[in-house]
């Protein structure tokens, strides 16, 4: 079989079962371990499959994102840990972009005490929190209002964000693979692309449950990110693959209680 035929065979096997072992694929295809791994890598880079220990599985599909009020209750400990680790990348005097999301809200809560900070966001909840809990210079993008996610998206939002040069941009997502970020909505793409394009350092912040999830619209390739901050439940193979791509991986620890440091809000 040529590579395209082998890769289609792998996808056919996965359509029948959730996970297929590498050993089984070697046996059925009659090729070497290296050849199977190479075919899986090609499929993984396209976002269609994801490696698991000793095998491969299809990426999960995301058809519609949950609203803000539901997302804030999911994986709260992991989001707090990621927020704390990501906040450690922010220094006094920086210009920071915070993408809309419940994980980036945790970053906002931990950078409120930084001095001479400028924060730009498209998220209404983040903006409202920082407006009362910090003295940073604060901008909201405006734009088309997405009510469920309490944020702004689309062309008007991205045009406003393009006015700034960010020292660091924190990007959120509900679906990502080694190929990159995707979304059920094409309106989120322009906002994230502009923020990354204007940033000296681009950081993806997302808990491990979002990995191996794919949505209809491709938004950003993983190669645009300098850093990924996630939790320690991320698959070791995924972290290793990111590092091979030249992306720094920060694994956040989740202690039993998440105490904010002095200068951060209670």
């Amino acid at each position: 079989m040529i590579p395209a035929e082998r890769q289609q065979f792998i996808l056919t096997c996965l359509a029948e079962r959730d996970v297929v072992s590498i050993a089984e694929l070697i046996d059925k295809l009659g090729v070497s371990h290296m050849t199977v791994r190479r075919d899986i890598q090609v499929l993984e880079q396209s976002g269609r499959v994801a490696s698991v220990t000793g095998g491969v599985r299809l990426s999960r599909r995301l058809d519609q994102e949950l609203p803000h009020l539901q997302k804030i209750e999911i994986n709260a400990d992991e989001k707090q840990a990621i927020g704390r680790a990501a906040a450690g990348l922010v220094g006094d005097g920086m210009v920071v972009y915070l993408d809309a999301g419940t994980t980036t809200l945790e970053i906002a809560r931990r950078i409120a005490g930084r001095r001479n900070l400028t924060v730009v966001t498209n998220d209404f909840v983040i903006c409202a929190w920082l407006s009362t809990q910090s003295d940073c210079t604060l901008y909201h993008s405006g734009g088309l209002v997405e009510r469920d996610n309490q944020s702004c998206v689309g062309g008007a939002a991205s045009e406003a964000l393009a006015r700034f040069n960010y020292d660091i941009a924190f990007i959120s997502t509900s679906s990502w693979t080694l190929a990159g970020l995707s979304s059920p909505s094409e309106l989120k793409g322009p906002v994230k692309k502009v923020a990354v394009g204007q940033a000296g350092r681009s950081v993806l912040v997302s808990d491990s449950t979002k990995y191996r999830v794919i949505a209809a619209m491709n938004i950003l390739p993983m190669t645009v990110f300098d850093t990924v901050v996630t939790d320690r439940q991320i698959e070791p193979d995924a972290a290793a693959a990111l590092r091979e791509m030249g992306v720094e991986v920060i694994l956040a620890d989740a202690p039993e209680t998440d105490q904010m440091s002095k200068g951060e809000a209670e």
Side-chain angles (χ1 to χ4, degrees):
M1 291 186 187
I2 63 174
E5 291 174 324
R6 292 196 304 269
Q7 291 155 24
Q8 185 57 54
F9 179 83
I10 293 171
L11 291 173
T12 300
C13 290
L14 289 172
E16 298 170 355
R17 298 205 309 274
D18 185 47
V19 179
V20 178
S21 72
I22 290 175
E24 181 179 349
L25 291 172
I26 291 170
D27 181 61
K28 288 187 174 181
L29 290 168
V31 295
S32 68
H33 181 277
M34 184 65 70
T35 298
V36 169
R37 292 297 303 177
R38 210 162 29 232
D39 288 334
I40 290 173
Q41 185 178 31
V42 170
L43 292 170
E44 195 163 24
Q45 288 173 347
S46 72
R48 287 181 286 180
V49 306
S51 295
V52 297
T53 303
V56 63
R57 67 183 304 164
L58 286 174
S59 296
R60 290 169 288 150
R61 301 291 304 187
L62 178 69
D63 297 320
Q64 184 176 1
E65 291 191 15
L66 294 174
H68 176 89
L69 290 176
Q70 291 184 34
K71 288 194 291 187
I72 203 167
E73 298 177 353
I74 299 173
N75 299 321
D77 290 344
E78 287 79 5
K79 290 175 182 177
Q80 289 170 10
I82 292 168
R84 186 179 60 255
L89 304 176
V90 178
D92 293 341
M94 281 189 172
V95 180
V96 179
Y97 173 71
L98 292 177
D99 200 16
T102 53
T103 304
T104 43
L105 175 60
E106 295 298 336
I107 301 173
R109 288 171 170 165
R110 288 158 179 79
I111 64 173
R114 303 290 197 276
R115 292 178 295 177
N116 301 319
L117 207 63
T118 298
V119 177
V120 185
T121 185
N122 64 329
D123 189 296
F124 288 116
V125 179
I126 290 173
C127 191
W129 198 91
L130 288 173
S131 68
T132 59
Q133 301 296 327
S134 79
D135 61 0
C136 68
T137 300
L138 182 60
Y139 292 87
H140 192 282
S141 66
L144 178 65
V145 175
E146 192 174 62
R147 289 179 173 84
D148 281 349
N149 282 316
Q150 293 292 291
S151 63
C152 286
V153 294
S158 62
E159 288 173 11
L161 296 178
R163 296 168 55 198
F164 298 89
N165 293 311
Y166 308 104
D167 292 298
I168 190 165
F170 294 100
I171 305 299
S172 64
T173 186
S174 293
S175 47
W176 64 286
T177 68
L178 293 180
L181 277 58
S182 57
S183 173
S185 170
E186 63 181 322
L187 295 175
K188 293 188 175 184
V191 171
K192 296 181 192 293
K193 287 177 182 176
V194 165
V196 166
Q198 298 292 112
R201 183 177 186 179
S202 299
V203 182
L204 173 65
V205 289
S206 180
D207 67 77
S208 59
T209 64
K210 313 293 178 52
Y211 176 64
R212 289 194 287 102
V213 179
I214 188 169
M217 308 296 296
N218 289 321
I219 300 298
L220 288 170
M222 192 57 63
T223 51
V224 304
F225 292 101
D226 302 291
T227 305
V228 171
V229 184
T230 187
D231 59 79
R232 291 190 175 274
Q233 300 306 310
I234 191 71
E235 296 168 12
D237 288 349
L242 287 169
R243 292 183 176 113
E244 287 179 6
M245 293 163 58
V247 180
E248 177 189 21
V249 179
I250 298 175
L251 301 179
D253 288 309
E256 293 182 5
T257 57
D258 183 29
Q259 298 293 333
M260 294 185 183
S261 62
K262 183 178 180 181
E264 296 172 341
E266 297 296 332

